Short mmCIF file of all heavy atoms in Angstrom, two decimals:
data_model
loop_
_atom_site.label_atom_id
_atom_site.label_comp_id
_atom_site.label_asym_id
_atom_site.label_seq_id
_atom_site.Cartn_x
_atom_site.Cartn_y
_atom_site.Cartn_z
N VAL K 93 -8.61 -22.31 -0.09
CA VAL K 93 -7.92 -21.03 0.12
C VAL K 93 -8.81 -19.87 -0.33
O VAL K 93 -8.88 -18.83 0.34
CB VAL K 93 -6.57 -21.03 -0.62
CG1 VAL K 93 -5.95 -19.64 -0.65
CG2 VAL K 93 -5.61 -22.02 0.02
N LEU K 94 -9.50 -20.03 -1.45
CA LEU K 94 -10.39 -18.97 -1.93
C LEU K 94 -11.55 -18.73 -0.97
O LEU K 94 -11.94 -17.57 -0.71
CB LEU K 94 -10.92 -19.30 -3.33
CG LEU K 94 -9.93 -19.13 -4.47
CD1 LEU K 94 -10.54 -19.60 -5.78
CD2 LEU K 94 -9.48 -17.69 -4.58
N ILE K 95 -12.12 -19.78 -0.42
CA ILE K 95 -13.22 -19.62 0.54
C ILE K 95 -12.72 -18.92 1.80
O ILE K 95 -13.37 -18.01 2.32
CB ILE K 95 -13.85 -20.99 0.86
CG1 ILE K 95 -14.61 -21.52 -0.37
CG2 ILE K 95 -14.78 -20.89 2.06
CD1 ILE K 95 -15.08 -22.95 -0.23
N CYS K 96 -11.55 -19.31 2.29
CA CYS K 96 -10.99 -18.66 3.49
C CYS K 96 -10.66 -17.19 3.19
O CYS K 96 -10.90 -16.32 4.02
CB CYS K 96 -9.74 -19.39 3.97
SG CYS K 96 -10.08 -21.03 4.61
N GLY K 97 -10.13 -16.92 2.00
CA GLY K 97 -9.83 -15.55 1.62
C GLY K 97 -11.07 -14.70 1.48
O GLY K 97 -11.10 -13.54 1.89
N LEU K 98 -12.13 -15.28 0.91
CA LEU K 98 -13.39 -14.56 0.77
C LEU K 98 -13.99 -14.28 2.14
O LEU K 98 -14.49 -13.16 2.39
CB LEU K 98 -14.38 -15.36 -0.08
CG LEU K 98 -15.72 -14.71 -0.36
CD1 LEU K 98 -15.54 -13.42 -1.15
CD2 LEU K 98 -16.63 -15.67 -1.10
N GLY K 99 -13.93 -15.23 3.03
CA GLY K 99 -14.42 -14.99 4.39
C GLY K 99 -13.64 -13.91 5.09
O GLY K 99 -14.21 -13.05 5.78
N SER K 100 -12.33 -13.90 4.89
CA SER K 100 -11.48 -12.85 5.47
C SER K 100 -11.82 -11.49 4.88
O SER K 100 -11.85 -10.48 5.59
CB SER K 100 -10.02 -13.19 5.23
OG SER K 100 -9.18 -12.16 5.66
N PHE K 101 -12.10 -11.45 3.60
CA PHE K 101 -12.48 -10.20 2.92
C PHE K 101 -13.79 -9.66 3.47
O PHE K 101 -13.91 -8.46 3.76
CB PHE K 101 -12.59 -10.47 1.41
CG PHE K 101 -12.95 -9.26 0.60
CD1 PHE K 101 -12.00 -8.32 0.30
CD2 PHE K 101 -14.24 -9.10 0.14
CE1 PHE K 101 -12.33 -7.21 -0.46
CE2 PHE K 101 -14.58 -8.01 -0.61
CZ PHE K 101 -13.62 -7.05 -0.91
N VAL K 102 -14.77 -10.52 3.63
CA VAL K 102 -16.06 -10.10 4.19
C VAL K 102 -15.90 -9.64 5.63
O VAL K 102 -16.48 -8.63 6.05
CB VAL K 102 -17.10 -11.25 4.08
CG1 VAL K 102 -18.36 -10.94 4.86
CG2 VAL K 102 -17.42 -11.52 2.62
N ALA K 103 -15.07 -10.34 6.40
CA ALA K 103 -14.81 -9.93 7.79
C ALA K 103 -14.11 -8.59 7.82
O ALA K 103 -14.40 -7.75 8.69
CB ALA K 103 -13.96 -10.99 8.49
N PHE K 104 -13.20 -8.35 6.88
CA PHE K 104 -12.51 -7.07 6.80
C PHE K 104 -13.50 -5.94 6.55
O PHE K 104 -13.47 -4.92 7.23
CB PHE K 104 -11.46 -7.13 5.68
CG PHE K 104 -10.66 -5.87 5.51
CD1 PHE K 104 -9.77 -5.48 6.48
CD2 PHE K 104 -10.79 -5.10 4.37
CE1 PHE K 104 -9.01 -4.33 6.33
CE2 PHE K 104 -10.03 -3.95 4.21
CZ PHE K 104 -9.14 -3.57 5.19
N GLN K 105 -14.40 -6.14 5.61
CA GLN K 105 -15.40 -5.10 5.31
C GLN K 105 -16.33 -4.88 6.52
O GLN K 105 -16.65 -3.75 6.87
CB GLN K 105 -16.22 -5.47 4.08
CG GLN K 105 -17.18 -4.39 3.66
CD GLN K 105 -17.94 -4.73 2.40
OE1 GLN K 105 -17.92 -5.86 1.95
NE2 GLN K 105 -18.62 -3.76 1.84
N TRP K 106 -16.73 -5.95 7.16
CA TRP K 106 -17.64 -5.83 8.31
C TRP K 106 -16.98 -5.10 9.47
O TRP K 106 -17.56 -4.19 10.05
CB TRP K 106 -18.10 -7.23 8.73
CG TRP K 106 -18.92 -7.22 9.98
CD1 TRP K 106 -20.24 -6.89 10.09
CD2 TRP K 106 -18.48 -7.53 11.29
NE1 TRP K 106 -20.64 -7.00 11.40
CE2 TRP K 106 -19.57 -7.39 12.17
CE3 TRP K 106 -17.26 -7.93 11.84
CZ2 TRP K 106 -19.48 -7.63 13.52
CZ3 TRP K 106 -17.16 -8.16 13.18
CH2 TRP K 106 -18.27 -8.01 14.01
N ILE K 107 -15.73 -5.49 9.81
CA ILE K 107 -15.08 -4.91 10.98
C ILE K 107 -14.68 -3.46 10.72
O ILE K 107 -14.77 -2.61 11.62
CB ILE K 107 -13.88 -5.75 11.47
CG1 ILE K 107 -13.42 -5.32 12.87
CG2 ILE K 107 -12.72 -5.67 10.51
CD1 ILE K 107 -14.38 -5.65 13.95
N ILE K 108 -14.30 -3.13 9.50
CA ILE K 108 -13.99 -1.73 9.17
C ILE K 108 -15.25 -0.89 9.28
O ILE K 108 -15.22 0.24 9.77
CB ILE K 108 -13.36 -1.63 7.76
CG1 ILE K 108 -11.96 -2.20 7.76
CG2 ILE K 108 -13.36 -0.20 7.26
CD1 ILE K 108 -10.94 -1.36 8.48
N GLY K 109 -16.38 -1.42 8.82
CA GLY K 109 -17.65 -0.70 8.95
C GLY K 109 -18.03 -0.49 10.40
O GLY K 109 -18.53 0.58 10.77
N ARG K 110 -17.81 -1.48 11.22
CA ARG K 110 -18.13 -1.36 12.64
C ARG K 110 -17.23 -0.34 13.33
O ARG K 110 -17.68 0.44 14.17
CB ARG K 110 -17.97 -2.71 13.34
CG ARG K 110 -18.93 -3.78 12.94
CD ARG K 110 -20.14 -3.78 13.78
NE ARG K 110 -19.80 -3.74 15.19
CZ ARG K 110 -20.46 -4.37 16.12
NH1 ARG K 110 -21.48 -5.12 15.79
NH2 ARG K 110 -20.13 -4.25 17.39
N ILE K 111 -15.96 -0.37 13.00
CA ILE K 111 -15.01 0.55 13.63
C ILE K 111 -15.25 1.99 13.20
O ILE K 111 -15.27 2.90 14.02
CB ILE K 111 -13.56 0.12 13.33
CG1 ILE K 111 -13.22 -1.14 14.11
CG2 ILE K 111 -12.57 1.23 13.64
CD1 ILE K 111 -11.88 -1.74 13.76
N SER K 112 -15.45 2.19 11.89
CA SER K 112 -15.59 3.56 11.38
C SER K 112 -16.99 4.12 11.60
O SER K 112 -17.16 5.33 11.61
CB SER K 112 -15.24 3.61 9.90
OG SER K 112 -16.21 2.91 9.14
N GLY K 113 -17.98 3.26 11.74
CA GLY K 113 -19.34 3.72 11.93
C GLY K 113 -20.00 4.19 10.65
O GLY K 113 -21.06 4.82 10.67
N ARG K 114 -19.41 3.90 9.53
CA ARG K 114 -19.99 4.30 8.24
C ARG K 114 -20.01 3.10 7.30
O ARG K 114 -19.34 2.09 7.54
CB ARG K 114 -19.22 5.46 7.62
CG ARG K 114 -17.79 5.15 7.32
CD ARG K 114 -17.07 6.34 6.76
NE ARG K 114 -15.70 5.95 6.43
CZ ARG K 114 -14.84 6.70 5.82
NH1 ARG K 114 -15.20 7.91 5.44
NH2 ARG K 114 -13.65 6.28 5.57
N SER K 115 -20.78 3.23 6.26
CA SER K 115 -20.87 2.16 5.27
C SER K 115 -19.63 2.19 4.38
O SER K 115 -19.28 3.23 3.82
CB SER K 115 -22.14 2.35 4.44
OG SER K 115 -22.21 1.35 3.46
N ILE K 116 -18.99 1.06 4.25
CA ILE K 116 -17.76 0.96 3.44
C ILE K 116 -18.12 0.19 2.18
O ILE K 116 -18.65 -0.92 2.24
CB ILE K 116 -16.65 0.22 4.21
CG1 ILE K 116 -16.36 0.88 5.55
CG2 ILE K 116 -15.40 0.12 3.37
CD1 ILE K 116 -15.76 2.26 5.45
N SER K 117 -17.84 0.78 1.02
CA SER K 117 -18.17 0.13 -0.24
C SER K 117 -17.19 -0.99 -0.54
O SER K 117 -16.04 -0.98 -0.07
CB SER K 117 -18.17 1.14 -1.38
OG SER K 117 -16.86 1.55 -1.67
N VAL K 118 -17.65 -1.92 -1.33
CA VAL K 118 -16.81 -3.06 -1.72
C VAL K 118 -15.61 -2.58 -2.53
O VAL K 118 -14.50 -3.08 -2.38
CB VAL K 118 -17.65 -4.10 -2.51
CG1 VAL K 118 -16.77 -5.21 -3.04
CG2 VAL K 118 -18.74 -4.66 -1.65
N VAL K 119 -15.82 -1.56 -3.36
CA VAL K 119 -14.74 -1.03 -4.19
C VAL K 119 -13.62 -0.45 -3.33
O VAL K 119 -12.44 -0.70 -3.59
CB VAL K 119 -15.29 0.04 -5.17
CG1 VAL K 119 -14.17 0.71 -5.92
CG2 VAL K 119 -16.28 -0.57 -6.13
N SER K 120 -13.97 0.29 -2.29
CA SER K 120 -12.93 0.85 -1.42
C SER K 120 -12.22 -0.23 -0.63
O SER K 120 -11.02 -0.13 -0.38
CB SER K 120 -13.51 1.92 -0.49
OG SER K 120 -14.44 1.35 0.39
N VAL K 121 -12.93 -1.29 -0.27
CA VAL K 121 -12.28 -2.40 0.43
C VAL K 121 -11.33 -3.12 -0.51
O VAL K 121 -10.21 -3.48 -0.12
CB VAL K 121 -13.32 -3.38 1.03
CG1 VAL K 121 -12.66 -4.61 1.59
CG2 VAL K 121 -14.14 -2.70 2.09
N ILE K 122 -11.75 -3.33 -1.75
CA ILE K 122 -10.86 -3.96 -2.74
C ILE K 122 -9.62 -3.11 -2.95
O ILE K 122 -8.49 -3.62 -3.02
CB ILE K 122 -11.61 -4.20 -4.07
CG1 ILE K 122 -12.66 -5.29 -3.89
CG2 ILE K 122 -10.64 -4.56 -5.19
CD1 ILE K 122 -13.56 -5.48 -5.08
N LYS K 123 -9.82 -1.80 -3.02
CA LYS K 123 -8.69 -0.87 -3.17
C LYS K 123 -7.73 -1.00 -1.98
O LYS K 123 -6.52 -1.06 -2.15
CB LYS K 123 -9.24 0.54 -3.29
CG LYS K 123 -8.26 1.57 -3.73
CD LYS K 123 -9.00 2.89 -3.95
CE LYS K 123 -8.07 4.06 -4.02
NZ LYS K 123 -8.78 5.33 -4.10
N ALA K 124 -8.28 -1.04 -0.77
CA ALA K 124 -7.44 -1.17 0.42
C ALA K 124 -6.71 -2.51 0.44
O ALA K 124 -5.53 -2.57 0.81
CB ALA K 124 -8.28 -1.01 1.68
N VAL K 125 -7.39 -3.58 0.04
CA VAL K 125 -6.76 -4.91 0.01
C VAL K 125 -5.64 -4.94 -1.04
O VAL K 125 -4.58 -5.53 -0.80
CB VAL K 125 -7.81 -6.00 -0.25
CG1 VAL K 125 -7.17 -7.33 -0.59
CG2 VAL K 125 -8.73 -6.15 0.95
#
Side-chain angles (χ1 to χ4, degrees):
V93 169
L94 285 175
I95 290 170
C96 292
L98 182 62
S100 174
F101 180 78
V102 170
F104 181 68
Q105 185 177 11
W106 174 79
I107 194 69
I108 289 289
R110 293 270 311 216
I111 288 173
S112 68
R114 62 182 182 173
S115 178
I116 304 293
S117 71
V118 174
V119 173
S120 64
V121 173
I122 290 173
K123 192 174 165 186
V125 168

